[in-house]
């Protein structure tokens, strides 16, 4: 299994493009002394030429200078998790009708593993809410843990959830199961979210290892 510190390069352009879709969220970082970062939505691309993004509104004005060198990253979610990253150059800024940026198409894309351990599949009832230290009287949402390791999990919202995607937010999980004994509350950070045929799910990194959950999975298997 690939370690988080190792990285490999895709052999062909088609390999990494197969993981890219319009609407995908990218983390974009300037290679300057401030290392300014922003989140941006992929609007479109032309292979070998450019990629077009709509950056978040909070991006400072110094970000928008043609010729700046950038590092772009985005996450792949599977059983082990990977981050794809590449260097690029800011080619053009459009200010109207929205702020959009065009960056150069990468010559090479690196892929890097995010987790040391493989997550195990399960379907365990749980609830999630924003960390109450961040938002008072936060509402809890029902769902299930659909994979888990000692360091993180994927939480699938129940079908009736109609909210938006969640990005980079502190959350609290509550898990109840007779084999666990008392219910356990787990604090963590949302690292990504996605919508597929099952619905909306979020990837959560725990603030501390959760060996009781990992033991529960081992018992189930």
């Amino acid at each position: 299994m690939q370690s988080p510190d190792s990285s490999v390069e895709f052999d062909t352009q088609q390999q990494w493009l197969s993981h890219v879709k319009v609407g995908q969220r990218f983390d974009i970082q300037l290679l300057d002394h401030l290392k300014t970062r922003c989140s941006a939505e992929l609007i479109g691309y032309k292979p070998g030429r450019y990629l077009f993004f709509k950056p978040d509104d909070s991006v400072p004005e110094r970000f928008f200078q043609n010729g700046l060198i950038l590092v772009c990253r985005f996450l792949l979610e599977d059983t082990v998790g990977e981050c794809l990253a590449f260097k690029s150059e800011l080619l053009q800024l459009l200010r109207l009708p929205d702020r959009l940026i065009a960056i150069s198409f990468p010559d090479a894309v690196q892929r890097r593993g995010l987790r040391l351990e493989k997550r195990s599949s399960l379907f365990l009832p749980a609830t999630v809410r924003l960390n109450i230290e961040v938002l008072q009287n936060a509402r809890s949402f029902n769902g299930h843990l659909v994979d888990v390791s000692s360091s993180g999990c994927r939480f699938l919202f129940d079908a009736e959830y109609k909210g938006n995607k969640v990005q980079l937010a502190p959350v609290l999980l509550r898990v109840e199961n007779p084999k666990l004994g008392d219910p356990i509350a787990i604090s963590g950070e949302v690292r990504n979210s996605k919508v597929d045929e099952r619905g909306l799910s979020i990837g959560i990194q725990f603030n501390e290892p959760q060996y009781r959950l990992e033991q529960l999975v081992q018992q189930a298997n």
Side-chain angles (χ1 to χ4, degrees):
M1 185 179 301
Q2 182 177 304
S3 75
D5 295 326
S6 65
S7 64
V8 295
E9 189 173 309
F10 281 95
D11 295 329
T12 67
Q13 188 179 98
Q14 288 74 21
Q15 282 183 329
W16 80 270
L17 280 178
S18 67
H19 299 290
V20 175
K21 58 185 178 181
V22 172
Q24 194 154 353
R25 304 293 298 185
F26 280 65
D27 177 87
I28 301 179
Q29 178 182 351
L30 294 183
L31 291 185
D32 61 2
H33 68 288
L34 295 175
K35 295 185 178 180
T36 306
R37 301 178 75 152
C38 78
S39 179
E41 177 184 352
L42 180 67
I43 302 299
Y45 61 88
K46 185 172 184 178
R49 297 287 303 280
Y50 55 79
L51 298 99
F52 244 110
F53 291 94
K54 184 181 185 304
D56 288 349
D57 294 335
S58 59
V59 179
E61 192 63 27
R62 66 175 176 271
F63 192 94
F64 300 105
Q65 299 180 38
N66 295 351
L68 290 177
I69 303 302
L70 316 168
V71 173
C72 301
R73 303 178 180 88
F74 66 99
L75 296 178
L76 300 181
E77 267 303 315
D78 53 22
T79 55
V80 294
E82 286 185 310
C83 174
L84 272 56
F86 57 86
K87 283 188 179 181
S88 184
E89 178 185 347
L90 199 154
L91 298 176
Q92 188 66 48
L93 163 69
L94 299 179
R95 297 183 184 274
L96 294 172
D98 284 314
R99 288 203 298 184
L100 301 174
I101 57 173
I103 69 173
S104 60
F105 200 86
D107 294 325
V109 175
Q110 301 288 328
R111 58 194 301 177
R112 174 169 296 185
L114 298 178
R115 306 181 195 129
L116 282 171
E117 70 257 295
K118 186 175 181 178
R119 289 186 179 173
S120 301
S121 297
L122 78 168
F123 199 69
L124 184 65
T127 61
V128 68
R129 68 174 180 177
L130 288 177
N131 193 325
I132 198 164
E133 295 179 358
V134 177
L135 181 66
Q136 294 294 322
N137 301 319
R139 177 185 171 189
S140 294
F141 297 96
N142 295 323
H144 292 80
L145 303 187
V146 291
D147 66 48
V148 68
S149 71
S150 62
S151 59
C153 71
R154 178 152 291 277
F155 179 88
L156 175 66
F157 288 89
D158 283 352
E160 61 266 20
Y161 177 75
K162 303 300 180 184
N164 297 321
K165 285 187 176 182
V166 181
Q167 300 287 346
L168 304 178
V171 292
L172 289 175
L173 278 173
R174 180 179 174 87
V175 184
E176 296 186 40
N177 186 283
K179 294 181 180 179
L180 289 174
D182 295 333
I184 58 174
I186 305 168
S187 60
E189 189 87 14
V190 176
R191 293 302 181 188
N192 58 82
S193 63
K194 67 177 181 179
V195 177
D196 56 23
E197 65 278 0
R198 298 181 301 177
L200 173 64
S201 65
I202 52 177
I204 299 173
Q205 180 180 352
F206 300 147
N207 292 342
E208 297 179 353
Q210 300 296 322
Y211 298 113
R212 290 172 66 192
L213 276 181
E214 191 174 41
Q215 292 170 359
L216 180 64
V217 174
Q218 293 173 353
Q219 294 171 4
N221 294 334

